[in-house]
PDB file of all heavy atoms in Angstrom:
ATOM      1  N   GLU A 323       0.835  -1.207   0.000  1.00 86.00           N
ATOM      2  CA  GLU A 323       0.000   0.000   0.000  1.00 86.00           C
ATOM      3  C   GLU A 323       0.871   1.259   0.000  1.00 86.00           C
ATOM      4  O   GLU A 323       0.622   2.210  -0.737  1.00 86.00           O
ATOM      5  CB  GLU A 323      -0.930  -0.004   1.215  1.00 86.00           C
ATOM      6  CG  GLU A 323      -1.925   1.132   1.230  1.00 86.00           C
ATOM      7  CD  GLU A 323      -2.866   1.047   2.422  1.00 86.00           C
ATOM      8  OE1 GLU A 323      -3.320  -0.070   2.749  1.00 86.00           O
ATOM      9  OE2 GLU A 323      -3.130   2.110   3.014  1.00 86.00           O
ATOM     10  N   PHE A 324       1.896   1.265   0.829  1.00 85.00           N
ATOM     11  CA  PHE A 324       2.816   2.402   0.874  1.00 85.00           C
ATOM     12  C   PHE A 324       3.523   2.563  -0.476  1.00 85.00           C
ATOM     13  O   PHE A 324       3.651   3.669  -0.991  1.00 85.00           O
ATOM     14  CB  PHE A 324       3.838   2.216   2.001  1.00 85.00           C
ATOM     15  CG  PHE A 324       4.744   3.408   2.177  1.00 85.00           C
ATOM     16  CD1 PHE A 324       4.387   4.435   3.034  1.00 85.00           C
ATOM     17  CD2 PHE A 324       5.949   3.505   1.489  1.00 85.00           C
ATOM     18  CE1 PHE A 324       5.217   5.550   3.199  1.00 85.00           C
ATOM     19  CE2 PHE A 324       6.776   4.610   1.655  1.00 85.00           C
ATOM     20  CZ  PHE A 324       6.410   5.632   2.509  1.00 85.00           C
ATOM     21  N   ILE A 325       3.973   1.447  -1.048  1.00 85.00           N
ATOM     22  CA  ILE A 325       4.669   1.472  -2.335  1.00 85.00           C
ATOM     23  C   ILE A 325       3.746   1.980  -3.437  1.00 85.00           C
ATOM     24  O   ILE A 325       4.149   2.771  -4.291  1.00 85.00           O
ATOM     25  CB  ILE A 325       5.245   0.081  -2.679  1.00 85.00           C
ATOM     26  CG1 ILE A 325       6.367  -0.294  -1.703  1.00 85.00           C
ATOM     27  CG2 ILE A 325       5.729   0.014  -4.129  1.00 85.00           C
ATOM     28  CD1 ILE A 325       7.567   0.629  -1.700  1.00 85.00           C
ATOM     29  N   ASP A 326       2.473   1.561  -3.427  1.00 85.00           N
ATOM     30  CA  ASP A 326       1.503   2.055  -4.415  1.00 85.00           C
ATOM     31  C   ASP A 326       1.379   3.573  -4.341  1.00 85.00           C
ATOM     32  O   ASP A 326       1.370   4.261  -5.367  1.00 85.00           O
ATOM     33  CB  ASP A 326       0.120   1.425  -4.196  1.00 85.00           C
ATOM     34  CG  ASP A 326       0.050  -0.024  -4.641  1.00 85.00           C
ATOM     35  OD1 ASP A 326       0.980  -0.491  -5.328  1.00 85.00           O
ATOM     36  OD2 ASP A 326      -0.939  -0.688  -4.285  1.00 85.00           O
ATOM     37  N   ASP A 327       1.294   4.104  -3.128  1.00 86.00           N
ATOM     38  CA  ASP A 327       1.163   5.549  -2.934  1.00 86.00           C
ATOM     39  C   ASP A 327       2.427   6.276  -3.395  1.00 86.00           C
ATOM     40  O   ASP A 327       2.368   7.295  -4.083  1.00 86.00           O
ATOM     41  CB  ASP A 327       0.865   5.852  -1.463  1.00 86.00           C
ATOM     42  CG  ASP A 327       0.676   7.344  -1.220  1.00 86.00           C
ATOM     43  OD1 ASP A 327      -0.193   7.952  -1.872  1.00 86.00           O
ATOM     44  OD2 ASP A 327       1.406   7.892  -0.369  1.00 86.00           O
ATOM     45  N   TRP A 328       3.583   5.745  -3.022  1.00 82.00           N
ATOM     46  CA  TRP A 328       4.869   6.322  -3.409  1.00 82.00           C
ATOM     47  C   TRP A 328       4.979   6.351  -4.935  1.00 82.00           C
ATOM     48  O   TRP A 328       5.349   7.357  -5.537  1.00 82.00           O
ATOM     49  CB  TRP A 328       5.984   5.495  -2.787  1.00 82.00           C
ATOM     50  CG  TRP A 328       7.373   6.045  -2.857  1.00 82.00           C
ATOM     51  CD1 TRP A 328       7.808   7.159  -3.521  1.00 82.00           C
ATOM     52  CD2 TRP A 328       8.528   5.489  -2.232  1.00 82.00           C
ATOM     53  NE1 TRP A 328       9.160   7.321  -3.346  1.00 82.00           N
ATOM     54  CE2 TRP A 328       9.629   6.318  -2.568  1.00 82.00           C
ATOM     55  CE3 TRP A 328       8.742   4.378  -1.433  1.00 82.00           C
ATOM     56  CZ2 TRP A 328      10.923   6.051  -2.122  1.00 82.00           C
ATOM     57  CZ3 TRP A 328      10.029   4.119  -0.986  1.00 82.00           C
ATOM     58  CH2 TRP A 328      11.101   4.951  -1.322  1.00 82.00           C
ATOM     59  N   TYR A 329       4.641   5.234  -5.574  1.00 82.00           N
ATOM     60  CA  TYR A 329       4.695   5.120  -7.030  1.00 82.00           C
ATOM     61  C   TYR A 329       3.777   6.158  -7.681  1.00 82.00           C
ATOM     62  O   TYR A 329       4.162   6.862  -8.612  1.00 82.00           O
ATOM     63  CB  TYR A 329       4.267   3.708  -7.436  1.00 82.00           C
ATOM     64  CG  TYR A 329       4.364   3.419  -8.914  1.00 82.00           C
ATOM     65  CD1 TYR A 329       5.431   2.694  -9.422  1.00 82.00           C
ATOM     66  CD2 TYR A 329       3.389   3.852  -9.803  1.00 82.00           C
ATOM     67  CE1 TYR A 329       5.529   2.411 -10.778  1.00 82.00           C
ATOM     68  CE2 TYR A 329       3.481   3.581 -11.154  1.00 82.00           C
ATOM     69  CZ  TYR A 329       4.552   2.860 -11.634  1.00 82.00           C
ATOM     70  OH  TYR A 329       4.635   2.597 -12.969  1.00 82.00           O
ATOM     71  N   GLN A 330       2.561   6.252  -7.166  1.00 84.00           N
ATOM     72  CA  GLN A 330       1.587   7.177  -7.739  1.00 84.00           C
ATOM     73  C   GLN A 330       2.065   8.623  -7.609  1.00 84.00           C
ATOM     74  O   GLN A 330       1.929   9.414  -8.534  1.00 84.00           O
ATOM     75  CB  GLN A 330       0.222   7.009  -7.081  1.00 84.00           C
ATOM     76  CG  GLN A 330      -0.848   7.867  -7.721  1.00 84.00           C
ATOM     77  CD  GLN A 330      -2.228   7.574  -7.173  1.00 84.00           C
ATOM     78  OE1 GLN A 330      -2.399   6.709  -6.330  1.00 84.00           O
ATOM     79  NE2 GLN A 330      -3.205   8.297  -7.652  1.00 84.00           N
ATOM     80  N   GLN A 331       2.634   8.973  -6.481  1.00 82.00           N
ATOM     81  CA  GLN A 331       3.126  10.344  -6.303  1.00 82.00           C
ATOM     82  C   GLN A 331       4.328  10.642  -7.193  1.00 82.00           C
ATOM     83  O   GLN A 331       4.439  11.737  -7.744  1.00 82.00           O
ATOM     84  CB  GLN A 331       3.484  10.590  -4.842  1.00 82.00           C
ATOM     85  CG  GLN A 331       2.270  10.705  -3.949  1.00 82.00           C
ATOM     86  CD  GLN A 331       2.663  11.067  -2.536  1.00 82.00           C
ATOM     87  OE1 GLN A 331       3.565  11.870  -2.321  1.00 82.00           O
ATOM     88  NE2 GLN A 331       1.996  10.470  -1.571  1.00 82.00           N
ATOM     89  N   LEU A 332       5.229   9.675  -7.351  1.00 80.00           N
ATOM     90  CA  LEU A 332       6.424   9.901  -8.153  1.00 80.00           C
ATOM     91  C   LEU A 332       6.109   9.955  -9.646  1.00 80.00           C
ATOM     92  O   LEU A 332       6.591  10.817 -10.360  1.00 80.00           O
ATOM     93  CB  LEU A 332       7.466   8.813  -7.881  1.00 80.00           C
ATOM     94  CG  LEU A 332       8.811   8.996  -8.578  1.00 80.00           C
ATOM     95  CD1 LEU A 332       9.508  10.252  -8.069  1.00 80.00           C
ATOM     96  CD2 LEU A 332       9.692   7.792  -8.344  1.00 80.00           C
ATOM     97  N   PHE A 333       5.270   9.028 -10.114  1.00 82.00           N
ATOM     98  CA  PHE A 333       4.999   8.927 -11.549  1.00 82.00           C
ATOM     99  C   PHE A 333       3.670   9.558 -11.961  1.00 82.00           C
ATOM    100  O   PHE A 333       3.343   9.579 -13.135  1.00 82.00           O
ATOM    101  CB  PHE A 333       5.031   7.461 -11.987  1.00 82.00           C
ATOM    102  CG  PHE A 333       6.378   6.833 -11.825  1.00 82.00           C
ATOM    103  CD1 PHE A 333       6.582   5.851 -10.877  1.00 82.00           C
ATOM    104  CD2 PHE A 333       7.460   7.233 -12.606  1.00 82.00           C
ATOM    105  CE1 PHE A 333       7.828   5.262 -10.717  1.00 82.00           C
ATOM    106  CE2 PHE A 333       8.705   6.658 -12.446  1.00 82.00           C
ATOM    107  CZ  PHE A 333       8.894   5.672 -11.505  1.00 82.00           C
ATOM    108  N   ASP A 334       2.905  10.032 -11.008  1.00 82.00           N
ATOM    109  CA  ASP A 334       1.614  10.658 -11.263  1.00 82.00           C
ATOM    110  C   ASP A 334       0.667   9.737 -12.038  1.00 82.00           C
ATOM    111  O   ASP A 334      -0.081  10.174 -12.904  1.00 82.00           O
ATOM    112  CB  ASP A 334       1.794  11.990 -12.002  1.00 82.00           C
ATOM    113  CG  ASP A 334       0.552  12.873 -11.906  1.00 82.00           C
ATOM    114  OD1 ASP A 334      -0.190  12.738 -10.914  1.00 82.00           O
ATOM    115  OD2 ASP A 334       0.330  13.675 -12.830  1.00 82.00           O
ATOM    116  N   THR A 335       0.729   8.453 -11.746  1.00 80.00           N
ATOM    117  CA  THR A 335      -0.144   7.469 -12.375  1.00 80.00           C
ATOM    118  C   THR A 335      -0.199   6.216 -11.510  1.00 80.00           C
ATOM    119  O   THR A 335       0.707   5.968 -10.716  1.00 80.00           O
ATOM    120  CB  THR A 335       0.355   7.109 -13.793  1.00 80.00           C
ATOM    121  OG1 THR A 335      -0.573   6.225 -14.397  1.00 80.00           O
ATOM    122  CG2 THR A 335       1.722   6.477 -13.781  1.00 80.00           C
ATOM    123  N   GLN A 336      -1.240   5.442 -11.667  1.00 77.00           N
ATOM    124  CA  GLN A 336      -1.338   4.154 -10.970  1.00 77.00           C
ATOM    125  C   GLN A 336      -0.449   3.144 -11.693  1.00 77.00           C
ATOM    126  O   GLN A 336      -0.355   3.175 -12.927  1.00 77.00           O
ATOM    127  CB  GLN A 336      -2.787   3.646 -10.993  1.00 77.00           C
ATOM    128  CG  GLN A 336      -3.726   4.399 -10.091  1.00 77.00           C
ATOM    129  CD  GLN A 336      -3.503   4.054  -8.615  1.00 77.00           C
ATOM    130  OE1 GLN A 336      -2.825   3.109  -8.267  1.00 77.00           O
ATOM    131  NE2 GLN A 336      -4.078   4.866  -7.764  1.00 77.00           N
ATOM    132  N   PRO A 337       0.183   2.241 -10.972  1.00 71.00           N
ATOM    133  CA  PRO A 337       0.991   1.219 -11.650  1.00 71.00           C
ATOM    134  C   PRO A 337       0.090   0.229 -12.388  1.00 71.00           C
ATOM    135  O   PRO A 337      -1.050  -0.009 -11.998  1.00 71.00           O
ATOM    136  CB  PRO A 337       1.730   0.536 -10.501  1.00 71.00           C
ATOM    137  CG  PRO A 337       0.950   0.842  -9.286  1.00 71.00           C
ATOM    138  CD  PRO A 337       0.241   2.142  -9.531  1.00 71.00           C
ATOM    139  N   HIS A 338       0.619  -0.323 -13.474  1.00 72.00           N
ATOM    140  CA  HIS A 338      -0.103  -1.370 -14.194  1.00 72.00           C
ATOM    141  C   HIS A 338      -0.142  -2.613 -13.326  1.00 72.00           C
ATOM    142  O   HIS A 338       0.754  -2.849 -12.510  1.00 72.00           O
ATOM    143  CB  HIS A 338       0.558  -1.675 -15.533  1.00 72.00           C
ATOM    144  CG  HIS A 338       0.577  -0.490 -16.444  1.00 72.00           C
ATOM    145  ND1 HIS A 338      -0.559   0.064 -16.974  1.00 72.00           N
ATOM    146  CD2 HIS A 338       1.613   0.251 -16.907  1.00 72.00           C
ATOM    147  CE1 HIS A 338      -0.232   1.090 -17.733  1.00 72.00           C
ATOM    148  NE2 HIS A 338       1.086   1.244 -17.695  1.00 72.00           N
ATOM    149  N   LYS A 339      -1.164  -3.423 -13.496  1.00 68.00           N
ATOM    150  CA  LYS A 339      -1.391  -4.573 -12.626  1.00 68.00           C
ATOM    151  C   LYS A 339      -0.194  -5.521 -12.559  1.00 68.00           C
ATOM    152  O   LYS A 339       0.178  -5.970 -11.489  1.00 68.00           O
ATOM    153  CB  LYS A 339      -2.647  -5.329 -13.101  1.00 68.00           C
ATOM    154  CG  LYS A 339      -3.222  -6.243 -12.081  1.00 68.00           C
ATOM    155  CD  LYS A 339      -4.549  -6.783 -12.546  1.00 68.00           C
ATOM    156  CE  LYS A 339      -5.363  -7.214 -11.345  1.00 68.00           C
ATOM    157  NZ  LYS A 339      -6.714  -7.569 -11.682  1.00 68.00           N
ATOM    158  N   ASN A 340       0.415  -5.823 -13.704  1.00 61.00           N
ATOM    159  CA  ASN A 340       1.504  -6.797 -13.732  1.00 61.00           C
ATOM    160  C   ASN A 340       2.892  -6.169 -13.611  1.00 61.00           C
ATOM    161  O   ASN A 340       3.890  -6.853 -13.700  1.00 61.00           O
ATOM    162  CB  ASN A 340       1.427  -7.628 -15.023  1.00 61.00           C
ATOM    163  CG  ASN A 340       0.168  -8.445 -15.068  1.00 61.00           C
ATOM    164  OD1 ASN A 340      -0.317  -8.901 -14.038  1.00 61.00           O
ATOM    165  ND2 ASN A 340      -0.383  -8.629 -16.256  1.00 61.00           N
ATOM    166  N   GLU A 341       2.929  -4.872 -13.419  1.00 67.00           N
ATOM    167  CA  GLU A 341       4.197  -4.156 -13.357  1.00 67.00           C
ATOM    168  C   GLU A 341       4.837  -4.312 -11.973  1.00 67.00           C
ATOM    169  O   GLU A 341       4.160  -4.292 -10.954  1.00 67.00           O
ATOM    170  CB  GLU A 341       3.927  -2.682 -13.638  1.00 67.00           C
ATOM    171  CG  GLU A 341       5.148  -1.836 -13.714  1.00 67.00           C
ATOM    172  CD  GLU A 341       4.792  -0.415 -14.114  1.00 67.00           C
ATOM    173  OE1 GLU A 341       3.762   0.112 -13.668  1.00 67.00           O
ATOM    174  OE2 GLU A 341       5.558   0.163 -14.875  1.00 67.00           O
ATOM    175  N   SER A 342       6.147  -4.441 -11.944  1.00 85.00           N
ATOM    176  CA  SER A 342       6.845  -4.482 -10.672  1.00 85.00           C
ATOM    177  C   SER A 342       7.093  -3.047 -10.204  1.00 85.00           C
ATOM    178  O   SER A 342       7.992  -2.367 -10.701  1.00 85.00           O
ATOM    179  CB  SER A 342       8.174  -5.217 -10.794  1.00 85.00           C
ATOM    180  OG  SER A 342       8.903  -5.076  -9.591  1.00 85.00           O
ATOM    181  N   LYS A 343       6.267  -2.605  -9.272  1.00 86.00           N
ATOM    182  CA  LYS A 343       6.374  -1.233  -8.763  1.00 86.00           C
ATOM    183  C   LYS A 343       7.725  -1.007  -8.102  1.00 86.00           C
ATOM    184  O   LYS A 343       8.353   0.029  -8.298  1.00 86.00           O
ATOM    185  CB  LYS A 343       5.246  -0.945  -7.776  1.00 86.00           C
ATOM    186  CG  LYS A 343       3.860  -1.041  -8.378  1.00 86.00           C
ATOM    187  CD  LYS A 343       2.820  -1.028  -7.305  1.00 86.00           C
ATOM    188  CE  LYS A 343       2.875  -2.334  -6.589  1.00 86.00           C
ATOM    189  NZ  LYS A 343       1.666  -3.060  -6.405  1.00 86.00           N
ATOM    190  N   ARG A 344       8.150  -1.961  -7.326  1.00 88.00           N
ATOM    191  CA  ARG A 344       9.418  -1.808  -6.611  1.00 88.00           C
ATOM    192  C   ARG A 344      10.591  -1.704  -7.579  1.00 88.00           C
ATOM    193  O   ARG A 344      11.469  -0.868  -7.414  1.00 88.00           O
ATOM    194  CB  ARG A 344       9.601  -2.952  -5.632  1.00 88.00           C
ATOM    195  CG  ARG A 344       8.745  -2.808  -4.408  1.00 88.00           C
ATOM    196  CD  ARG A 344       8.930  -3.984  -3.445  1.00 88.00           C
ATOM    197  NE  ARG A 344       8.308  -3.707  -2.176  1.00 88.00           N
ATOM    198  CZ  ARG A 344       7.004  -3.848  -1.925  1.00 88.00           C
ATOM    199  NH1 ARG A 344       6.197  -4.258  -2.882  1.00 88.00           N
ATOM    200  NH2 ARG A 344       6.514  -3.573  -0.730  1.00 88.00           N
ATOM    201  N   ALA A 345      10.598  -2.534  -8.608  1.00 88.00           N
ATOM    202  CA  ALA A 345      11.692  -2.489  -9.584  1.00 88.00           C
ATOM    203  C   ALA A 345      11.697  -1.155 -10.328  1.00 88.00           C
ATOM    204  O   ALA A 345      12.759  -0.578 -10.566  1.00 88.00           O
ATOM    205  CB  ALA A 345      11.569  -3.649 -10.565  1.00 88.00           C
ATOM    206  N   LYS A 346      10.528  -0.644 -10.688  1.00 87.00           N
ATOM    207  CA  LYS A 346      10.467   0.628 -11.400  1.00 87.00           C
ATOM    208  C   LYS A 346      10.907   1.784 -10.494  1.00 87.00           C
ATOM    209  O   LYS A 346      11.607   2.696 -10.935  1.00 87.00           O
ATOM    210  CB  LYS A 346       9.066   0.877 -11.948  1.00 87.00           C
ATOM    211  CG  LYS A 346       9.037   2.060 -12.887  1.00 87.00           C
ATOM    212  CD  LYS A 346       7.814   2.122 -13.739  1.00 87.00           C
ATOM    213  CE  LYS A 346       7.891   3.341 -14.653  1.00 87.00           C
ATOM    214  NZ  LYS A 346       6.696   3.575 -15.396  1.00 87.00           N
ATOM    215  N   LEU A 347      10.512   1.748  -9.214  1.00 88.00           N
ATOM    216  CA  LEU A 347      10.979   2.767  -8.273  1.00 88.00           C
ATOM    217  C   LEU A 347      12.499   2.690  -8.111  1.00 88.00           C
ATOM    218  O   LEU A 347      13.177   3.717  -8.122  1.00 88.00           O
ATOM    219  CB  LEU A 347      10.298   2.601  -6.910  1.00 88.00           C
ATOM    220  CG  LEU A 347       8.859   3.087  -6.793  1.00 88.00           C
ATOM    221  CD1 LEU A 347       8.249   2.615  -5.472  1.00 88.00           C
ATOM    222  CD2 LEU A 347       8.781   4.597  -6.898  1.00 88.00           C
ATOM    223  N   ALA A 348      13.021   1.484  -7.973  1.00 89.00           N
ATOM    224  CA  ALA A 348      14.467   1.306  -7.825  1.00 89.00           C
ATOM    225  C   ALA A 348      15.206   1.840  -9.050  1.00 89.00           C
ATOM    226  O   ALA A 348      16.226   2.534  -8.927  1.00 89.00           O
ATOM    227  CB  ALA A 348      14.804  -0.165  -7.598  1.00 89.00           C
ATOM    228  N   LEU A 349      14.688   1.559 -10.239  1.00 89.00           N
ATOM    229  CA  LEU A 349      15.302   2.043 -11.471  1.00 89.00           C
ATOM    230  C   LEU A 349      15.272   3.573 -11.544  1.00 89.00           C
ATOM    231  O   LEU A 349      16.266   4.215 -11.890  1.00 89.00           O
ATOM    232  CB  LEU A 349      14.584   1.433 -12.681  1.00 89.00           C
ATOM    233  CG  LEU A 349      15.163   1.777 -14.043  1.00 89.00           C
ATOM    234  CD1 LEU A 349      16.578   1.242 -14.180  1.00 89.00           C
ATOM    235  CD2 LEU A 349      14.275   1.184 -15.134  1.00 89.00           C
ATOM    236  N   GLU A 350      14.133   4.166 -11.176  1.00 88.00           N
ATOM    237  CA  GLU A 350      14.003   5.618 -11.231  1.00 88.00           C
ATOM    238  C   GLU A 350      14.961   6.297 -10.241  1.00 88.00           C
ATOM    239  O   GLU A 350      15.608   7.282 -10.566  1.00 88.00           O
ATOM    240  CB  GLU A 350      12.560   6.034 -10.928  1.00 88.00           C
ATOM    241  CG  GLU A 350      12.335   7.520 -10.954  1.00 88.00           C
ATOM    242  CD  GLU A 350      12.567   8.187 -12.310  1.00 88.00           C
ATOM    243  OE1 GLU A 350      12.619   7.480 -13.334  1.00 88.00           O
ATOM    244  OE2 GLU A 350      12.717   9.428 -12.342  1.00 88.00           O
ATOM    245  N   TYR A 351      15.059   5.754  -9.023  1.00 88.00           N
ATOM    246  CA  TYR A 351      15.974   6.355  -8.048  1.00 88.00           C
ATOM    247  C   TYR A 351      17.434   6.133  -8.435  1.00 88.00           C
ATOM    248  O   TYR A 351      18.286   6.979  -8.177  1.00 88.00           O
ATOM    249  CB  TYR A 351      15.677   5.864  -6.637  1.00 88.00           C
ATOM    250  CG  TYR A 351      14.520   6.613  -6.037  1.00 88.00           C
ATOM    251  CD1 TYR A 351      13.260   6.058  -5.966  1.00 88.00           C
ATOM    252  CD2 TYR A 351      14.678   7.923  -5.601  1.00 88.00           C
ATOM    253  CE1 TYR A 351      12.182   6.768  -5.450  1.00 88.00           C
ATOM    254  CE2 TYR A 351      13.612   8.650  -5.092  1.00 88.00           C
ATOM    255  CZ  TYR A 351      12.374   8.059  -5.018  1.00 88.00           C
ATOM    256  OH  TYR A 351      11.326   8.784  -4.515  1.00 88.00           O
ATOM    257  N   THR A 352      17.741   5.013  -9.069  1.00 90.00           N
ATOM    258  CA  THR A 352      19.100   4.779  -9.556  1.00 90.00           C
ATOM    259  C   THR A 352      19.459   5.830 -10.604  1.00 90.00           C
ATOM    260  O   THR A 352      20.528   6.439 -10.560  1.00 90.00           O
ATOM    261  CB  THR A 352      19.240   3.363 -10.144  1.00 90.00           C
ATOM    262  OG1 THR A 352      18.947   2.411  -9.116  1.00 90.00           O
ATOM    263  CG2 THR A 352      20.641   3.125 -10.678  1.00 90.00           C
ATOM    264  N   ARG A 353      18.547   6.068 -11.545  1.00 89.00           N
ATOM    265  CA  ARG A 353      18.780   7.081 -12.569  1.00 89.00           C
ATOM    266  C   ARG A 353      18.916   8.466 -11.923  1.00 89.00           C
ATOM    267  O   ARG A 353      19.844   9.214 -12.213  1.00 89.00           O
ATOM    268  CB  ARG A 353      17.629   7.107 -13.592  1.00 89.00           C
ATOM    269  CG  ARG A 353      17.866   8.125 -14.719  1.00 89.00           C
ATOM    270  CD  ARG A 353      16.607   8.464 -15.484  1.00 89.00           C
ATOM    271  NE  ARG A 353      15.532   8.989 -14.654  1.00 89.00           N
ATOM    272  CZ  ARG A 353      15.488  10.224 -14.134  1.00 89.00           C
ATOM    273  NH1 ARG A 353      16.484  11.060 -14.324  1.00 89.00           N
ATOM    274  NH2 ARG A 353      14.468  10.625 -13.406  1.00 89.00           N
ATOM    275  N   MET A 354      17.991   8.764 -11.015  1.00 86.00           N
ATOM    276  CA  MET A 354      17.959  10.082 -10.384  1.00 86.00           C
ATOM    277  C   MET A 354      19.247  10.362  -9.607  1.00 86.00           C
ATOM    278  O   MET A 354      19.813  11.453  -9.694  1.00 86.00           O
ATOM    279  CB  MET A 354      16.755  10.158  -9.437  1.00 86.00           C
ATOM    280  CG  MET A 354      16.509  11.496  -8.804  1.00 86.00           C
ATOM    281  SD  MET A 354      15.150  11.453  -7.599  1.00 86.00           S
ATOM    282  CE  MET A 354      13.801  10.776  -8.537  1.00 86.00           C
ATOM    283  N   LEU A 355      19.718   9.376  -8.874  1.00 87.00           N
ATOM    284  CA  LEU A 355      20.865   9.602  -7.992  1.00 87.00           C
ATOM    285  C   LEU A 355      22.212   9.346  -8.663  1.00 87.00           C
ATOM    286  O   LEU A 355      23.130  10.155  -8.527  1.00 87.00           O
ATOM    287  CB  LEU A 355      20.734   8.749  -6.734  1.00 87.00           C
ATOM    288  CG  LEU A 355      19.653   9.258  -5.770  1.00 87.00           C
ATOM    289  CD1 LEU A 355      19.228   8.187  -4.801  1.00 87.00           C
ATOM    290  CD2 LEU A 355      20.163  10.484  -5.035  1.00 87.00           C
ATOM    291  N   LEU A 356      22.363   8.232  -9.366  1.00 85.00           N
ATOM    292  CA  LEU A 356      23.681   7.901  -9.904  1.00 85.00           C
ATOM    293  C   LEU A 356      23.966   8.544 -11.248  1.00 85.00           C
ATOM    294  O   LEU A 356      25.116   8.837 -11.556  1.00 85.00           O
ATOM    295  CB  LEU A 356      23.856   6.387 -10.009  1.00 85.00           C
ATOM    296  CG  LEU A 356      23.896   5.657  -8.676  1.00 85.00           C
ATOM    297  CD1 LEU A 356      24.177   4.182  -8.887  1.00 85.00           C
ATOM    298  CD2 LEU A 356      24.914   6.262  -7.738  1.00 85.00           C
ATOM    299  N   ILE A 357      22.949   8.791 -12.040  1.00 88.00           N
ATOM    300  CA  ILE A 357      23.181   9.379 -13.353  1.00 88.00           C
ATOM    301  C   ILE A 357      22.976  10.890 -13.316  1.00 88.00           C
ATOM    302  O   ILE A 357      23.833  11.656 -13.731  1.00 88.00           O
ATOM    303  CB  ILE A 357      22.291   8.707 -14.413  1.00 88.00           C
ATOM    304  CG1 ILE A 357      22.703   7.233 -14.525  1.00 88.00           C
ATOM    305  CG2 ILE A 357      22.385   9.412 -15.763  1.00 88.00           C
ATOM    306  CD1 ILE A 357      21.799   6.364 -15.316  1.00 88.00           C
ATOM    307  N   ASP A 358      21.842  11.329 -12.802  1.00 87.00           N
ATOM    308  CA  ASP A 358      21.521  12.763 -12.785  1.00 87.00           C
ATOM    309  C   ASP A 358      22.093  13.497 -11.573  1.00 87.00           C
ATOM    310  O   ASP A 358      22.076  14.717 -11.529  1.00 87.00           O
ATOM    311  CB  ASP A 358      20.003  12.973 -12.824  1.00 87.00           C
ATOM    312  CG  ASP A 358      19.387  12.441 -14.100  1.00 87.00           C
ATOM    313  OD1 ASP A 358      20.118  12.253 -15.091  1.00 87.00           O
ATOM    314  OD2 ASP A 358      18.168  12.203 -14.110  1.00 87.00           O
ATOM    315  N   LYS A 359      22.564  12.756 -10.571  1.00 86.00           N
ATOM    316  CA  LYS A 359      23.151  13.325  -9.346  1.00 86.00           C
ATOM    317  C   LYS A 359      22.185  14.263  -8.618  1.00 86.00           C
ATOM    318  O   LYS A 359      22.572  15.287  -8.076  1.00 86.00           O
ATOM    319  CB  LYS A 359      24.454  14.070  -9.654  1.00 86.00           C
ATOM    320  CG  LYS A 359      25.490  13.274 -10.400  1.00 86.00           C
ATOM    321  CD  LYS A 359      26.191  12.267  -9.530  1.00 86.00           C
ATOM    322  CE  LYS A 359      27.366  11.634 -10.200  1.00 86.00           C
ATOM    323  NZ  LYS A 359      27.144  10.335 -10.763  1.00 86.00           N
ATOM    324  N   GLN A 360      20.903  13.903  -8.611  1.00 85.00           N
ATOM    325  CA  GLN A 360      19.893  14.698  -7.916  1.00 85.00           C
ATOM    326  C   GLN A 360      19.722  14.155  -6.489  1.00 85.00           C
ATOM    327  O   GLN A 360      18.874  13.331  -6.231  1.00 85.00           O
ATOM    328  CB  GLN A 360      18.553  14.622  -8.663  1.00 85.00           C
ATOM    329  CG  GLN A 360      18.594  15.202 -10.038  1.00 85.00           C
ATOM    330  CD  GLN A 360      17.283  14.989 -10.770  1.00 85.00           C
ATOM    331  OE1 GLN A 360      16.390  14.305 -10.296  1.00 85.00           O
ATOM    332  NE2 GLN A 360      17.178  15.573 -11.941  1.00 85.00           N
ATOM    333  N   TYR A 361      20.545  14.644  -5.601  1.00 87.00           N
ATOM    334  CA  TYR A 361      20.531  14.129  -4.232  1.00 87.00           C
ATOM    335  C   TYR A 361      20.020  15.145  -3.218  1.00 87.00           C
ATOM    336  O   TYR A 361      19.815  14.820  -2.052  1.00 87.00           O
ATOM    337  CB  TYR A 361      21.940  13.690  -3.814  1.00 87.00           C
ATOM    338  CG  TYR A 361      22.938  14.825  -3.815  1.00 87.00           C
ATOM    339  CD1 TYR A 361      23.095  15.619  -2.699  1.00 87.00           C
ATOM    340  CD2 TYR A 361      23.680  15.109  -4.943  1.00 87.00           C
ATOM    341  CE1 TYR A 361      23.989  16.673  -2.709  1.00 87.00           C
ATOM    342  CE2 TYR A 361      24.575  16.155  -4.964  1.00 87.00           C
ATOM    343  CZ  TYR A 361      24.724  16.935  -3.836  1.00 87.00           C
ATOM    344  OH  TYR A 361      25.600  17.982  -3.853  1.00 87.00           O
TER     345      TYR A 361
END
C-alpha cells in the first residue's frame, strides 16, 4: 500500500497490474541519484 502511494506520487499514475512497482521505483531512483546526481 505504501509502495503504491509512493509510485503514484512519483509517476503521477497508478501502476499497471503486472508491473513491478518496486523495480520501477528502484530504477528511477538509480537514474535520479547515480546518473543525474539529484541528491
Side-chain angles (χ1 to χ4, degrees):
E323 186 177 319
F324 185 90
I325 293 299
D326 286 348
D327 182 57
W328 190 353
Y329 184 101
Q330 185 173 358
Q331 288 185 39
L332 185 64
F333 296 112
D334 198 28
T335 184
Q336 288 286 347
H338 299 293
K339 198 172 203 172
N340 296 326
E341 185 175 39
S342 172
K343 298 168 288 231
R344 285 179 169 81
K346 190 164 180 187
L347 283 169
L349 184 63
E350 180 63 16
Y351 279 102
T352 300
R353 182 197 57 75
M354 185 185 306
L355 287 161
L356 293 184
I357 296 169
D358 297 341
K359 306 285 189 261
Q360 297 175 353
Y361 62 87

